[in-house]
Amino acid sequence: MNGKVASIRDTLYDCTLQGFHQGYRDLIEVQTTDFDMEGNVAETTTYNADSSLVSINNFVYKDNVLFSSNGQMRIGEDNFTSTSELIAIENGIPRYKESNGTQQWTKEVKTTGKYRLEYSEGEYGYTKEETWADDDNNIIKTKYLLVNNEFKFLNGTNTLEKASAIKYDKDGNITETIYIENKDTIVTTYSHHQYDKYGNWTEERSESNGYFKKLTKRTIKYMED
């Protein structure tokens, strides 16, 4: 993004049935992201249309490396918490101890050039998350693998696989995502219609599989404002 960004507030609307006409849309949720002075994500929050909290996550950095994080998610009447803490850095590889309140696991983060691997292992099994970036550090491909020792997924196995591919325009704005989970594919196209004085978009329209339409209104605050 252009400029020194302090915070981003995205307001999402469902336009599937009404289209993108002004006034004909249903509010889905509001997402906010706050950044520190170094440009690292410091806090993320998600609210329902009725302003009730869905989730909140806080991140702490030391020497520009993620040191710890904690989160809370609300589903119905239940609250779920998560924590992550840096316990070691060996050969440049950060290692974290993480928990979701009922289970604990360790995670290693390896970065080689534009490739990043996050590997987590615990009593439940393990996960493997891979991302690839382009020369502008935009993520262009992801792969996710979860092997669970406790239960089977809807595909009848204890393995869940996901993958995505992402395309950008010359300004670094997302134009298309292809998301694959097992054998299901979702193709989402994006277009941008309004920009602020820094050249960052403030209105985005997306359409998934040619039908599901969403409108995102973005408010950006800058450090110098």
Side-chain angles (χ1 to χ4, degrees):
M1 296 185 69
N2 302 317
K4 189 76 171 180
V5 177
S7 66
I8 297 174
R9 181 183 179 93
D10 286 343
T11 305
L12 280 67
Y13 299 92
D14 185 355
C15 301
T16 300
L17 300 179
Q18 298 91 350
F20 293 111
H21 305 291
Q22 185 73 22
Y24 292 92
R25 55 200 186 206
D26 296 322
L27 177 62
I28 302 175
E29 65 184 23
V30 177
Q31 302 173 347
T32 62
T33 305
D34 295 323
F35 299 86
D36 63 18
M37 294 295 292
E38 302 299 326
N40 300 308
V41 174
E43 181 179 278
T44 64
T45 58
T46 303
Y47 296 91
N48 286 315
D50 61 2
S51 298
S52 60
L53 181 68
V54 176
S55 65
I56 182 170
N57 297 280
N58 293 281
F59 306 88
V60 177
Y61 302 84
K62 288 188 177 181
D63 298 325
N64 227 25
V65 175
L66 181 62
F67 179 75
S68 66
S69 66
N70 63 80
Q72 177 182 336
M73 177 179 290
R74 186 173 180 83
I75 301 177
E77 298 298 322
D78 298 321
N79 287 311
F80 300 89
T81 61
S82 62
T83 60
S84 176
E85 183 178 0
L86 179 67
I87 56 176
I89 299 180
E90 300 176 355
N91 298 320
I93 300 172
R95 190 179 185 193
Y96 298 86
K97 180 179 180 180
E98 301 188 328
S99 172
N100 61 6
T102 58
Q103 295 176 327
Q104 292 185 351
W105 59 92
T106 58
K107 180 176 74 176
E108 290 185 348
V109 181
K110 300 179 181 180
T111 303
T112 306
K114 302 298 181 180
Y115 171 75
R116 177 184 175 96
L117 168 64
E118 296 187 10
Y119 180 82
S120 302
E121 187 172 3
E123 295 180 2
Y124 67 92
Y126 67 89
T127 62
K128 182 179 179 181
E129 299 182 59
E130 298 173 276
T131 59
W132 291 261
D134 61 17
D135 291 337
D136 296 318
N137 292 322
N138 297 313
I139 295 176
I140 57 175
K141 185 172 69 172
T142 70
K143 289 181 67 176
Y144 175 85
L145 172 66
L146 167 59
V147 177
N148 195 304
N149 299 328
E150 296 182 342
F151 59 84
K152 292 184 178 181
F153 298 101
L154 294 177
N155 61 14
T157 73
N158 67 337
T159 300
L160 180 65
E161 294 183 84
K162 303 177 185 179
S164 69
I166 307 159
K167 296 180 181 179
Y168 301 83
D169 62 18
K170 61 181 179 61
D171 297 315
N173 298 315
I174 294 177
T175 58
E176 181 184 80
T177 60
I178 301 174
Y179 175 81
I180 302 172
E181 181 172 333
N182 293 323
K183 295 183 179 180
D184 296 324
T185 300
I186 298 175
V187 179
T188 303
T189 57
Y190 302 83
S191 59
H192 304 90
H193 299 268
Q194 296 181 20
Y195 297 82
D196 64 13
K197 63 182 181 180
Y198 292 92
N200 295 317
W201 66 262
T202 57
E203 180 180 298
E204 178 187 75
R205 302 176 184 181
S206 63
E207 187 171 322
S208 299
N209 286 0
Y211 180 72
F212 298 101
K213 300 177 181 179
K214 290 182 181 178
L215 172 68
T216 301
K217 290 284 191 176
R218 168 168 284 186
T219 302
I220 306 173
K221 292 184 178 180
Y222 297 88
M223 296 291 185
E224 53 266 38
D225 289 348

